[in-house]
Amino acid sequence: MKNQSVSSNIDWMSIMIYTALVIMGWLNIYSSSLSTAAVDSSIFDASQIYGKQFLFILISIPIIFVVLFVEPKFYEKFSIIIFAVAILALIGLFPFGKTVAGQRCWYAIGSFTLQPSEFAKAATSLALAKYLSDVQINLKHTNRQLQALTIVFLPVLLILPQPDPGSALIYFSFFFVLFREGLPGWYLGTGLVAIIVFILTLVFENSLIVVLIATVVLVIHYLRSRLIERNIIGSLIILALVTIFSFSVSFVFNNVFKQHHRDRFNILLGKDVDERGIGYNTDQSEIAIGSGRWIGKGFLEGTQTKGGFVPEQHTDYIFTTVGEEWGFLGSVFVIGLFVGLIVRIIYLSERQKTKFSRVYGYCVASILFIHFFVNIAMVIGVFPTIGVPLPFFSYGGSGLWGFTILLFIFLKMDANKVNEW
C-alpha cells in the first residue's frame, strides 16, 4: 500500500481542540497578569508574563512540525533511549539545577528555565508503551508487574526529592493504562482502601478507631457470606495490614510531613480554617470562581483577577480567571473541551493497529485527565494545593511544550495507522 501523507490522515478534531485550549489559555494568562504589566506594554512584550507565553506558543509550532516529521517507528525503536535521557536529565537537576521557591526542578538557560519533569511524562509513556507492547508481557505475572511499575516509579523517585509532589502525583495516572492492559483489579482495591484508611486516620486522629471500624466492616462482610477458614485467615491478614498502615499514617503525618502540608490537609478536611494563611489561595480562588455566577463578568473585567487576590493566578490557579470572567457557562465550555480531547484520544487509541500506539494513546489520555481533574479539584477546594498545572492553560514553556510533544507524538502515530498492516 502506498504511504499516505500525514496531513490527509491526521486527526484535525484533536488539533482544533488543542488550538482552542492554547488560545483560550493565553487569553486567560493575559487577563490574569495584566494588573502587574506596564501600562504601555505591547501584548507581545517578552518582558511580561503574557508576552513570554506568546513566545512559548510560537516556539511550540516548529516543535509540532518536528514531531510530525519524525517517523512513528523512531519513537518505538528509540523509546528506551529517550527514557534514559529523561532520567539522566532528572538526575542532573541535583548538581546543576536551579532552586526556585525551595524546589530544585529547573535548568537555567539564560533568562529562561526548563523543567525536565514535564518532558519525562512523554518519555515514560514511550518506555511503558514499548515494554507493554512486547508479545511476551503478561501483567498477570508478578515479575512483569514489578518491571512495569519500575518504569513508572523510577521518575517519581527522582522528582519527589526536588521536592515536587505535584509532578510526582501525575505518574499515578499510568495505573489507568496498566489496568487497561491487564493489571489485576486488587491493585485498585488496595489503593482505594489505602485512601479511605488515610482519610479516616486524619479525621479521627486515632488509629485505634480506624482499626475498630475496619474490624466491624470485615466482620459484617464475612457474616453475610459463608465463613470458611480461608476467608477468616484472609480477613486477619487484611486487618493486620490496615492496622500497620493506619499507625504509619499517624507517624508520617505528625513526624515526616512539614507543618504546611499538615495545615493543607487539615483545612481540606474542615478541621482548621485559615483564610489568611495556608488556606488563603483556595479561599480567594473559590471567591473568584463564585463571583462569576452564570455568564461571568466579562473578559478583563474580573475584579478579583485584576486585584491580584489569588497568588500565582497565571499558573496553577489559572482556572479561577475562567470562572470569574467567563462564569459557569464558560467554565463548562472549557471543561467540555478537555473532556472532548480526552475522550477523542481514547477513541483513537482503540482504533490503533499496533499495541504500542494504543498503549501510548492511553498514557496521553490518562496524563491529561489527572492534570485536568486534580487542577480543577484543587482550585475549587476539594483537593489540597500541590502544584499541578492545567494543560495548555497554565503559564510555562516547559509545560506547554511537554504537553504538545506528548499529544502530537500520538497524533503522528494515529495518522500513520493506515500504513501499518
Side-chain angles (χ1 to χ4, degrees):
M1 177 180 287
K2 184 179 179 181
N3 285 3
Q4 300 183 32
S5 66
V6 171
S7 60
S8 63
N9 295 295
I10 199 165
D11 187 62
W12 289 102
M13 182 180 293
S14 297
I15 292 180
M16 285 189 291
I17 297 176
Y18 163 83
T19 304
L21 288 172
V22 171
I23 292 174
M24 294 168 69
W26 183 84
L27 289 173
N28 282 275
I29 290 173
Y30 176 75
S31 179
S32 63
S33 58
L34 193 61
S35 60
T36 60
V39 177
D40 58 346
S41 294
S42 164
I43 61 173
F44 309 125
D45 185 355
S47 66
Q48 303 297 334
I49 290 174
Y50 51 78
K52 289 182 180 178
Q53 187 68 14
F54 184 76
L55 178 60
F56 297 152
I57 293 173
L58 290 180
I59 294 175
S60 67
I61 295 175
I63 290 176
I64 291 172
F65 280 103
V66 170
V67 170
L68 294 179
F69 176 79
V70 176
E71 286 298 316
K73 287 297 180 182
F74 172 88
Y75 299 116
E76 181 175 4
K77 183 177 180 180
F78 294 98
S79 57
I80 302 303
I81 296 177
I82 294 172
F83 181 65
V85 171
I87 294 299
L88 290 175
L90 291 173
I91 295 174
L93 285 171
F94 295 101
F96 304 115
K98 178 181 180 180
T99 302
V100 178
Q103 292 182 310
R104 203 174 185 84
C105 305
W106 298 271
Y107 287 109
I109 305 174
S111 59
F112 292 99
T113 56
L114 204 63
Q115 188 173 1
S117 61
E118 295 293 345
F119 303 97
K121 297 167 190 173
T124 305
S125 299
L126 289 171
L128 187 62
K130 176 64 174 178
Y131 177 76
L132 294 179
S133 61
D134 191 313
V135 293
Q136 298 179 346
I137 299 303
N138 185 346
L139 288 180
K140 300 297 183 183
H141 300 152
T142 303
N143 63 326
R144 298 303 189 187
Q145 297 168 13
L146 293 176
Q147 290 166 0
L149 292 174
T150 298
I151 295 174
V152 172
F153 286 109
L154 183 56
V156 173
L157 295 176
L158 297 172
I159 292 172
L160 276 176
Q162 295 178 2
D164 188 3
S167 294
L169 174 66
I170 300 303
Y171 284 80
F172 284 89
S173 64
F174 290 109
F175 273 94
F176 293 125
V177 182
L178 295 175
F179 284 125
R180 168 63 181 81
E181 297 304 321
L183 189 69
W186 68 264
Y187 277 94
L188 180 60
T190 302
L192 291 175
V193 170
I195 292 173
I196 293 171
V197 172
F198 179 84
I199 294 174
L200 289 176
T201 302
L202 297 185
V203 169
F204 292 107
E205 296 184 333
N206 190 327
S207 295
L208 291 177
I209 295 178
V210 177
V211 174
L212 178 62
I213 294 173
T215 302
V216 172
V217 171
L218 287 172
V219 169
I220 292 175
H221 174 72
Y222 286 109
L223 283 178
R224 294 178 62 183
S225 60
R226 293 183 177 181
L227 288 173
I228 57 176
E229 183 179 354
R230 187 176 61 181
N231 282 347
I232 295 175
I233 294 175
S235 298
L236 292 175
I237 293 174
I238 293 173
L239 183 61
L241 293 174
V242 169
T243 302
I244 295 171
F245 182 73
S246 182
F247 277 98
S248 68
V249 167
S250 297
F251 176 81
V252 170
F253 187 76
N254 294 309
N255 298 280
V256 178
F257 278 18
K258 295 183 180 179
Q259 186 60 47
H260 67 274
H261 292 142
R262 293 195 291 269
D263 291 339
R264 285 172 178 169
F265 275 106
N266 287 332
I267 290 171
L268 181 66
L269 296 172
K271 297 168 66 176
D272 288 338
V273 177
D274 185 12
E275 297 178 353
R276 293 295 176 185
I278 197 72
Y280 177 80
N281 283 28
T282 302
D283 182 63
Q284 292 300 317
S285 172
E286 292 175 1
I287 292 173
I289 293 174
S291 68
R293 298 183 181 275
W294 284 98
I295 60 175
K297 299 175 180 177
F299 182 57
L300 302 180
E301 298 299 325
T303 54
Q304 296 292 114
T305 297
K306 277 190 172 181
F309 288 99
V310 183
E312 303 299 327
Q313 192 168 347
H314 57 286
T315 54
D316 298 339
Y317 281 83
I318 190 66
F319 193 75
T320 60
T321 307
V322 178
E324 183 178 23
E325 296 190 348
W326 300 7
F328 176 79
L329 295 179
S331 299
V332 169
F333 179 72
V334 171
I335 291 173
L337 286 178
F338 276 108
V339 172
L341 180 60
I342 293 168
V343 170
R344 183 67 180 173
I345 293 171
I346 293 175
Y347 168 74
L348 294 175
S349 298
E350 289 294 341
R351 296 176 58 196
Q352 299 304 302
K353 290 182 169 58
T354 67
K355 188 175 181 179
F356 177 81
S357 299
R358 185 189 73 218
V359 173
Y360 181 81
Y362 268 91
C363 289
V364 177
S366 300
I367 291 171
L368 290 177
F369 171 74
I370 290 296
H371 263 280
F372 152 73
F373 177 80
V374 171
N375 178 271
I376 293 182
M378 183 180 69
V379 299
I380 63 176
V382 297
F383 206 87
T385 301
I386 55 173
V388 174
L390 187 61
F392 315 119
F393 261 70
S394 296
Y395 168 80
S398 297
L400 176 61
W401 300 333
F403 287 123
T404 297
I405 293 171
L406 181 74
L407 174 61
F408 277 88
I409 287 178
F410 175 67
L411 293 183
K412 172 65 175 183
M413 293 177 183
D414 179 67
N416 191 67
K417 68 178 180 293
V418 295
N419 300 319
E420 294 178 339
W421 296 94

